[in-house]
């Protein structure tokens, strides 16, 4: 099982770049890395997905080093509305409960 | 239009009662899920259906019974409710189960409180 480890919480200030790192030491060759964001009283929302190197979309960037044992979600210039729980998932191209293990996520609090 | 909708949003009930939560998605997706989120924000898969067939059934008490009358609906019935069932239950859907299609869309959740 590709277990993931994330910090429980992080604080940041408006306008700063935030990097949240997820460790997945026993990631398998076919595993992809996916991040979701959950606001209070809402369901999680897909942010970004990647396999290696760097992926960028309009919301965030995902950095994955060559050994793929960790990944970093980068949120540029956060605002108060980015306060949420961020989940890192690791799974393969098959389909199993393994890749649907969200864990407890990282609570990001953006301060004014 | 809400893509994945759950009803009710809040459910308060007594121990021992039977209750149901309904979920509907209008995205045309083939796969639907039920998750349970505890007070520590741990989000755990319970069930998944693909084209109305059960494909994931995690270690969940058999008091929980999902039913999928069609691809757009996945309901969750809970018998003999216990205090430990108190949690937020999320329904989700995805296009399919392969990597390119398994990005999930979640409902707003149903907060169940068992007294």
């Amino acid at each position: 099982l590709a277990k993931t480890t994330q910090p429980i919480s992080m604080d940041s200030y408006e306008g700063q770049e935030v990097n949240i790192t997820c460790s997945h030491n026993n990631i398998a060759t076919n595993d992809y890395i996916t991040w979701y964001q959950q606001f209070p009283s809402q369901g999680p929302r897909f942010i970004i997905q990647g396999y290696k190197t760097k992926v960028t979309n309009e919301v965030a960037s995902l950095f994955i080093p060559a050994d793929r044992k960790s990944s970093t979600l980068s949120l540029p210039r956060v605002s108060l509305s980015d306060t949420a729980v961020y989940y890192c998932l690791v799974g393969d191209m098959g389909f199993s409960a393994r890749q649907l293990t969200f864990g407890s996520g990282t609570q990001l609090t953006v301060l004014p | 239009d809400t893509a994945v909708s759950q009803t009710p949003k809040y459910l308060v009930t007594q121990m021992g009662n039977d209750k149901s939560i309904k979920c509907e998605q209008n995205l045309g997706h083939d796969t639907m899920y039920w998750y349970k989120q505890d007070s520590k924000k741990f989000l755990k898969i319970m069930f998944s259906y693909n084209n109305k067939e059960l494909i994931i059934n995690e270690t969940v008490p058999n008091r929980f019974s999902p039913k999928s009358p069609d691809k757009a609906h996945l309901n969750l019935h809970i018998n003999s409710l216990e205090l430990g069932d108190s949690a937020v239950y999320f329904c989700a859907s995805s296009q399919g189960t392969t990597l390119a299609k398994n990005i999930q869309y979640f409902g707003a959740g149903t907060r169940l409180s068992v007294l």
Side-chain angles (χ1 to χ4, degrees), chain B residues 3-5 22-32 51-52 67-75 91-93:
Chain B
V4 181
S5 58
K22 298 189 178 203
C23 179
E24 176 181 3
Q25 53 95 2
N26 62 6
L27 298 167
H29 286 169
D30 286 342
T31 311
M32 296 186 73
N51 285 317
K52 299 195 301 174
K67 282 193 172 47
S68 182
D70 55 56
K71 286 199 311 183
H73 295 85
L74 180 60
N75 304 322
C91 176
S93 73

Side-chain angles (χ1 to χ4, degrees), chain A residues 1-6 22-36 49-50 68-71 87-93 96-102, chain B residues 99 102:
Chain A
L1 226 68
K3 187 176 181 300
T4 60
T5 304
Q6 302 175 234
C22 179
S23 296
H24 27 81
N25 287 322
N26 56 346
I27 188 169
T29 303
N30 292 334
D31 283 348
Y32 276 66
I33 300 149
T34 310
W35 286 80
Y36 284 79
Q49 184 177 71
R68 303 199 330 120
K69 294 188 176 183
S70 66
S71 58
Y87 294 94
C88 164
L89 281 76
V90 173
D92 60 20
M93 292 179 69
S96 67
R98 176 171 85 91
Q99 69 176 344
L100 301 174
T101 300
F102 277 71
Chain B
L99 181 68
N102 69 3

Side-chain angles (χ1 to χ4, degrees), chain A residues 30 32 34 36 38 40-46 49 85 87 89 91-105 107, chain B residues 9-10 31 33 35 37 40-45 48 55-56 58 90 94 96-100 102-109 111:
Chain A
N30 292 334
Y32 276 66
T34 310
Y36 284 79
Q38 184 179 22
S41 301
Q42 293 186 27
R45 183 180 72 136
F46 170 82
Q49 184 177 71
V85 178
Y87 294 94
L89 281 76
D92 60 20
M93 292 179 69
F95 188 80
S96 67
R98 176 171 85 91
Q99 69 176 344
L100 301 174
T101 300
F102 277 71
S104 299
Q107 171 67 60
Chain B
K9 192 168 174 62
Y10 299 96
T31 311
Y33 313 76
Y35 286 86
Q37 186 169 47
K40 295 181 179 175
K41 299 294 185 183
F42 193 92
L43 191 60
K44 184 172 162 55
I45 183 73
S48 179
I55 56 172
I56 288 179
E58 283 298 277
F90 286 100
S94 65
T97 58
T98 58
L99 181 68
N102 69 3
I103 291 171
Q104 296 174 67
Y105 295 79
F106 283 79
R111 183 174 293 276

